[in-house]
Amino acid sequence: MATIDGLPPLREVIATYDLVAKRQLGQNFLLDLNLTAKIARLAGDLAGSDVLEIGPGPGGLTRGLLVEGARRVVAVEKDPRCIAALQEISAAYPGRLDVVEGDAMQIDMAALLSPPVRIAANLPYNVGTELLIRWLTPKIWPPFWTSMTLMFQREVALRITAKPGDDHYGRLAILCQWRSDAKIVMHLPPEAFTPAPKVHSAVVHLTRLEAPRFAADAKTLQRVVAAAFGQRRKMLRSSLKPLGGDVEALLKAANIPPTARAEEIELERFCALARSVAERDA
Ligand code: SAM
């Protein structure tokens, strides 16, 4: 059967290179190249960008990114079994695909890329949230990336995009929405993957803001939000006690009722609270 790029179908690639999925590496592969091309299109202007892909596996999304015109793809894969299959793709796209064998948690990826950089990945679920938090908390803002188009289990996607009052609203929503525009752009059922995971998935597209949406010190904001959501059902005058001092005065300065609960508070108010704490501690 003809494929979108003339390379072998992914089932054939998996058979040729014996890529039986390993659960400990979070391997749930996308084998439909029309679907991976669609995800690549959701990543934005690829022709003018370097694309960082984490966990290319047998290369379904990698091929989608290349077919959709990515200037260059840097693909970081931990499983050595996948490297030969990826080299075959690299040979078909001279100078456009660099395959890096290694652990995305250990490699300084920014150093491998030229701006503008877009990140696109069907992430291994065991490291996905951790990588997202790292990408959102660099030492200096703006970060090395312009946008991120990432597959997560649906529950994590809902946590990223949740608003006050939603069950999933919490620390991840605050961090993501403080520094980016984040939206769910695709839902996928378990059967879209081989093997099918137990959970549903969703693709989230995050576009960085050049400056955070509201002024606040990143570490102080994280401290405030961690305390607030550490006991999310309690009133803030009680859950914020770990911040020390006169909590009610801090809340008043941020224009937040002391009886409010974390799950009701908008990002702008959390940033105001972080500024009050920073001012008090200065
Ligand atoms: N992108 C492929 C696709 O869509 O079919 C594979 C996605 S699969 C969910 C996750 C991939 O990440 C696997 O190929 C796995 O080997 C790789 N992986 C797991 N942990 C990794 C890590 N720490 N660094 C780099 N790759 C990793």
Side-chain angles (χ1 to χ4, degrees):
M1 197 177 64
T3 55
I4 54 173
D5 53 9
L7 287 163
L10 284 157
R11 286 190 192 284
E12 204 176 301
V13 173
I14 285 176
T16 306
Y17 295 96
D18 197 16
L19 302 178
V20 179
K22 286 189 179 170
R23 189 206 287 260
Q24 66 273 29
L25 284 168
Q27 291 183 335
N28 299 99
F29 300 134
L30 290 169
L31 302 186
D32 177 349
L33 288 164
N34 292 310
L35 180 60
T36 60
K38 197 169 161 193
I39 296 170
R41 285 196 290 280
L42 293 170
D45 169 25
L46 299 181
S49 311
D50 276 11
V51 182
L52 171 63
E53 186 191 0
I54 305 302
L61 180 57
T62 321
R63 287 165 63 176
L65 293 164
L66 290 162
V67 164
E68 292 304 318
R71 178 175 75 191
R72 184 166 157 256
V73 177
V74 173
V76 180
E77 174 57 59
K78 189 173 175 183
D79 184 350
R81 298 178 309 158
C82 298
I83 302 302
L86 294 164
Q87 298 294 9
E88 199 180 319
I89 306 170
S90 187
Y93 290 91
R96 286 179 59 203
L97 172 61
D98 291 335
V99 179
V100 179
E101 183 182 339
D103 183 342
M105 305 295 285
Q106 311 292 339
I107 293 174
D108 176 12
M109 291 169 273
L112 307 174
L113 297 143
S114 309
V117 174
R118 294 181 186 273
I119 303 176
N122 174 14
L123 289 170
Y125 288 147
N126 49 352
V127 293
T129 314
E130 168 75 31
L131 280 172
L132 173 68
I133 291 172
R134 282 192 196 183
W135 287 326
L136 284 164
T137 53
K139 284 204 181 81
I140 298 170
W141 194 268
F144 73 93
W145 53 271
T146 303
S147 72
M148 306 196 272
T149 309
L150 306 172
M151 182 86 69
F152 290 102
Q153 46 192 112
R154 182 168 64 187
E155 210 249 324
V156 176
L158 293 174
R159 281 169 52 210
I160 291 170
T161 54
K163 299 290 178 206
D166 293 349
D167 285 348
H168 292 89
Y169 187 56
R171 296 169 67 174
L172 200 56
I174 300 281
L175 175 61
C176 294
Q177 295 171 38
W178 182 50
R179 286 186 148 164
S180 76
D181 278 323
K183 59 178 182 221
I184 294 177
V185 289
M186 190 190 278
H187 288 275
L188 292 98
E191 314 80 69
F193 302 85
T194 304
K198 288 202 176 69
V199 293
H200 283 252
S201 300
V203 178
V204 183
H205 185 75
L206 301 100
T207 309
R208 80 174 187 203
L209 299 174
E210 291 312 303
R213 203 174 296 277
F214 305 105
D217 168 66
K219 286 222 163 63
T220 313
L221 179 61
Q222 279 179 315
R223 192 153 64 91
V224 164
V225 173
F229 285 99
Q231 296 176 299
R232 59 186 295 137
R233 308 259 175 238
K234 284 201 175 169
M235 291 179 192
L236 286 169
R237 68 177 170 212
S238 156
S239 60
L240 291 180
K241 278 190 183 142
L243 297 178
D246 187 346
V247 170
E248 298 225 6
L250 288 172
L251 287 166
K252 194 166 176 212
N255 209 8
I256 299 172
T259 52
R261 293 173 168 77
E263 56 201 9
E264 307 160 17
I265 302 301
E266 292 185 346
L267 170 60
E268 186 171 8
R269 292 292 103 225
F270 275 119
C271 292
L273 187 55
R275 291 197 300 274
S276 306
V277 172
E279 213 169 285
R280 179 200 69 180
D281 295 347

